[in-house]
Amino acid sequence: MNTLKDVQELIAQRAAQEITPFATVNLGIGIPTLIAKYADSDKVFFHTENGMLGVGELKHPSNFDPGLVNAGKLPVAEETGASYFHSADSFAMIRGGHVEMAFLGALQVDESGFIANWAVPGKNIMGVGGAMDLLSGAKKIIITTNHCTKNGEPKLVKSCTYPITSTRKVNTIITELAVFEFVNDRLKLIELMPGVTLEEVARNTEADYEINWRKESK
Amino acid sequence: MNTLKDVQELIAQRAAQEITPFATVNLGIGIPTLIAKYADSDKVFFHTENGMLGVGELKHPSNFDPGLVNAGKLPVAEETGASYFHSADSFAMIRGGHVEMAFLGALQVDESGFIANWAVPGKNIMGVGGAMDLLSGAKKIIITTNHCTKNGEPKLVKSCTYPITSTRKVNTIITELAVFEFVNDRLKLIELMPGVTLEEVARNTEADYEINWRKESK
Amino acid sequence: MDKIRTAEEVMQNVKSGDTIMVGGFGLVGAPLTLIDELTRQEVNGLTIISNNLGEAGKGLGILLRQGKIKKAIGSYFTSNREVGDHFNIGKLEIQLMPQGTMSESIRAGGAGIGAYYTKTGVGTELAKGKEVRVINDENYLYEEALKANVALIKAQKADTLGNLIYYKTTRNFNPIMATAADYVIAEVDEIVEPGELLPEEIVTPHLYIDAIVKSKLILTREGVVER
Amino acid sequence: MDKIRTAEEVMQNVKSGDTIMVGGFGLVGAPLTLIDELTRQEVNGLTIISNNLGEAGKGLGILLRQGKIKKAIGSYFTSNREVGDHFNIGKLEIQLMPQGTMSESIRAGGAGIGAYYTKTGVGTELAKGKEVRVINDENYLYEEALKANVALIKAQKADTLGNLIYYKTTRNFNPIMATAADYVIAEVDEIVEPGELLPEEIVTPHLYIDAIVKSKLILTREGVVER
């Protein structure tokens, strides 16, 4: 396997292919943030919940504008045709169903499609941010995550043991091993990442899944 | 008595004196609309519920801008420092308690302080506009109305027989005969209009009121 | 992604039985070209959400005369006396709302809010049958969100992406209706390139807009004219 | 009516036990000068409504260290690890809200909406003890409005009347907090004459603003500096 960073870039690169042309897309913190640079910036509109549509990649990091950041508080750039709005208007876009896709990280995803990405049992719960809002409102939710935790435990589990983020189910999961989709409420493995074997996926996955190579939605 | 128009101007002129310096003021349809020209435009901010703060009097009526009207759909002008907003933001100002005074017309006002100004029993109810919103949200409600109906019936009644506009009570009533205020939930006559006698007010008023020359609030 | 369409094209999205939001405060800020095109469509049983229903025989008033409107949701129908006539003979349902409640319900529809509590209307005839809830010792009325299949709105300028700005009090219901329908058509007087509208002055971001139609009928000092 | 004040003057409006809204997303769009002045005040038992609670020992983080905060309402306290420490020893109450619910509740507070229903949070730990209501076959959570005694916000420019515009993503919570407090103080980088801001570009109309303070501390590429 590659370094952690390589793995994340691999996931981000594959995830970028899921973006439908001219979609409005929200990128969560972590791996999702890496997706922007693999997307065709002429054919996607990035939305950030702190109040901007038309988020661009910062070309020269040293030249950042301290008044222009994304939801991860990272400096970004402004694409042509961008607009700004306040937080309530921004979440109205998310919660009202006007954001087509959200890419989010996860601590766990279970075979029912629930995700946990905001709290860890036994620890203080100190942040939730926009995760629950994105889950409740974005039309399509794509999870980008390392297949296993740092300790090698599967993140695709039978049932989340961490607190779930929403009762809304996610649509797609992209890891460094495979791409999964939920079809009719069943988890399907639809694609292996380059050089990965089915056996490798099976060994690292707790959740039940079927193999279903043909993509039904896309 | 004078013509109807004279009476309305008289009421409007007196009403303008109620405006506290730099207040945000909403003017209803009818007599309230006439108040603007008697107010010191440097010391008042007129709000209109169709989405504008800083409404001004149109100086040259023939020169009106068809994209610039008040809630009565009458052409108006734009004062320096004016701003525009959509209907939900405009009513957020009203309903959120950010408009200091609203001047409204009335079909009836009763001695409890309830007003009826939107519907007539036995007739189709076809319009309500912003009346209920202003009643629920403006900090101070001042009623400007002819003292009696066209048929000479008192408009200041014991109890509204027309459907009330709100369970919120009004603060002040200004007619061509007198000025009334509600103090501790009691209707008080606080001022006679020039040349009007107490007897004249009594003869034209059904509601009970006390006489209380000294203004307690202002 | 070109959103620029003709009025004829976009009106194919309106079907019989649809709920349609129409912007404007009277004729001010109304999408006159789109309304005109709507009156040419063979559709009926429409529910119209609009502050007014035009004037007698004008704007949405034509649609009313054509018998295409099943129900009208708005705050002030008094400006068209024919609304009452149609109501009286049972040809039109009316849902009268305080203007602030109507605005807030449209915003709620666009923002994913299912319902909300307002003080407006408590204890009045418009509250009949509605739930009242005490919040912090005050009475509030339960009101549900409004949504539509199609919204017809009017703006001053669009860029080709669909970002919109509005002129003075023509703004009114247009920006909120833009958020609350499945398919949103913006009639505009001018179309510019992306970047020509300043990011901070854009009132309606383009993600809300499905189609842009150049206006043919506009409101001038002389009334509604073809441009 | 001159609304221009010094930070010292306006902070007299903050009393012990008050609820205070503070704009900003982290340091971006935060009223740094006002926060700095607030840390000099002899007040305690404050409830702070702000997305974050600064960073350890910075901004609102100073106020936390001073023990002046009784309760924090926000969506993301993770950026200041001391928040958890204060919570663990019982010196700080925490009300964690989804960021969209927090925003919507502030807007509701400013708009006279007592409470509303949102899908966000249904079935999660943050919904514990909260009412669920089925609206059009979907589950919604009951959420009440947020209001404050004082709001400290940051804008780019004010005119002397108090009309405000904001710079890029510094807008965030500032315009909604401007609507939801009894006394609203706007810290701004520039003050201009009325008429210099275009009526259509004004984001916060002046009726929301009680006082304007010129900024002394600003966020630059080099961090927070005195100007």
Side-chain angles (χ1 to χ4, degrees), chain D residues 7-15 37 41:
Chain D
E8 296 76 17
E9 282 172 325
V10 294
M11 221 46 76
Q12 302 312 311
N13 291 282
V14 176
K15 301 178 304 297
E37 187 59 39
Q41 300 298 308

Side-chain angles (χ1 to χ4, degrees), chain A residues 4-216:
Chain A
L4 181 63
K5 191 165 178 329
D6 289 341
V7 165
Q8 292 186 333
E9 296 290 345
L10 183 75
I11 296 169
Q13 192 168 7
R14 175 61 188 82
Q17 297 171 23
E18 296 294 306
I19 298 174
T20 51
F22 305 108
T24 297
V25 176
N26 186 293
L27 301 178
I29 298 174
I31 296 175
T33 307
L34 305 172
I35 295 170
K37 66 171 173 288
Y38 297 106
D40 178 352
S41 65
D42 290 341
K43 287 194 172 178
V44 62
F45 304 107
F46 287 113
H47 173 272
T48 183
E49 57 263 42
N50 52 320
M52 181 183 187
L53 180 65
V55 181
E57 281 282 286
L58 194 62
K59 298 288 186 297
H60 306 285
S62 63
N63 238 4
F64 76 92
D65 178 340
L68 181 48
V69 300
N70 67 14
K73 290 169 191 148
L74 297 172
V76 293
E78 177 186 290
E79 294 284 341
T80 303
S83 55
Y84 299 95
F85 26 83
H86 61 58
S87 300
D89 279 350
S90 186
F91 280 96
M93 292 174 187
I94 293 169
R95 292 150 57 120
H98 308 285
V99 170
E100 269 122 18
M101 318 178 97
F103 290 87
L104 299 171
L107 298 169
Q108 293 183 322
V109 197
D110 71 22
E111 60 187 54
S112 303
F114 297 133
I115 73 154
N117 75 346
W118 69 290
V120 175
K123 288 196 185 174
N124 286 333
I125 297 177
M126 283 293 146
V128 58
M132 290 187 180
D133 304 293
L134 284 160
L135 259 298
S136 76
K139 284 188 199 150
K140 185 169 188 178
I141 301 281
I142 299 173
I143 301 301
T144 54
T145 176
N146 288 62
H147 202 89
C148 294
T149 67
K150 279 178 221 159
N151 302 329
E153 286 155 16
K155 286 183 148 198
L156 277 67
V157 295
K158 288 201 170 299
S159 180
C160 288
T161 54
Y162 289 13
I164 59 171
T165 311
S166 177
T167 53
R168 182 260 173 89
K169 298 171 178 190
V170 305
N171 303 92
T172 303
I173 307 162
I174 299 171
T175 78
E176 75 279 20
L177 298 187
V179 180
F180 299 83
E181 274 188 8
F182 284 91
V183 182
N184 300 327
D185 264 352
R186 293 281 303 148
L187 182 61
K188 317 264 185 180
L189 186 160
I190 62 164
E191 185 182 321
L192 289 173
M193 293 294 271
V196 175
T197 64
L198 274 175
E199 195 278 330
E200 207 174 342
V201 176
R203 200 173 53 228
N204 290 287
T205 307
E206 180 194 304
D208 271 344
Y209 56 89
E210 295 165 15
I211 293 161
N212 190 352
W213 301 114
R214 225 171 46 81
K215 278 199 169 183
E216 300 189 14

Side-chain angles (χ1 to χ4, degrees), chain B residues 65 78 95 124 126 128-129 133, chain C residues 75 77 88 100-101 167-168:
Chain B
D65 179 340
E78 178 186 292
R95 291 149 59 120
N124 286 333
M126 283 293 147
V128 59
D133 304 293
Chain C
S75 92
F77 298 121
N88 283 335
T101 299
Y167 179 76
K168 299 188 189 283

Side-chain angles (χ1 to χ4, degrees), chain B residues 8-210:
Chain B
Q8 292 185 334
E9 295 290 346
L10 182 75
I11 296 169
Q13 193 167 5
R14 175 61 188 82
Q17 298 170 22
E18 296 293 307
I19 297 173
T20 49
F22 305 108
T24 297
V25 176
N26 186 293
L27 301 178
I29 299 174
I31 297 175
T33 306
L34 305 173
I35 294 170
K37 66 172 174 285
Y38 298 107
D40 179 351
S41 66
D42 291 340
K43 288 195 173 177
V44 62
F45 304 107
F46 287 114
H47 173 273
T48 183
E49 56 262 44
N50 53 319
M52 181 183 187
L53 180 65
V55 181
E57 282 281 286
L58 195 62
K59 298 289 186 297
H60 307 284
S62 63
N63 238 4
F64 77 92
D65 179 340
L68 181 47
V69 301
N70 66 15
K73 290 169 191 148
L74 297 172
V76 293
E78 178 186 292
E79 294 283 342
T80 302
S83 55
Y84 299 96
F85 26 83
H86 62 59
S87 300
D89 278 350
S90 186
F91 280 96
M93 292 174 188
I94 293 170
R95 291 149 59 120
H98 308 285
V99 170
E100 268 121 19
M101 318 179 97
F103 289 87
L104 299 170
L107 299 169
Q108 294 182 323
V109 197
D110 71 23
E111 60 188 54
S112 303
F114 297 135
I115 74 153
N117 75 346
W118 69 292
V120 175
K123 289 195 184 174
N124 286 333
I125 297 178
M126 283 293 147
V128 59
M132 289 186 181
D133 304 293
L134 285 160
L135 259 297
S136 76
K139 284 188 199 150
K140 184 170 188 178
I141 301 281
I142 300 174
I143 301 301
T144 53
T145 178
N146 287 64
H147 204 89
C148 293
T149 67
K150 279 180 218 158
N151 303 328
E153 286 155 15
K155 285 183 149 196
L156 277 67
V157 296
K158 288 200 169 298
S159 180
C160 288
T161 54
Y162 289 14
I164 59 170
T165 310
S166 176
T167 52
R168 183 262 173 86
K169 298 171 179 190
V170 305
N171 302 92
T172 304
I173 308 163
I174 299 171
T175 77
E176 75 278 22
L177 299 187
V179 180
F180 299 84
E181 274 189 6
F182 284 90
V183 182
N184 300 327
D185 263 353
R186 293 281 304 148
L187 182 61
K188 316 265 186 180
L189 187 159
I190 61 164
E191 184 182 323
L192 289 173
M193 293 295 270
V196 176
T197 64
L198 274 175
E199 195 279 329
E200 205 175 344
V201 175
R203 200 173 55 228
N204 289 287
T205 307
E206 182 195 302
D208 272 344
Y209 56 89
E210 294 165 16

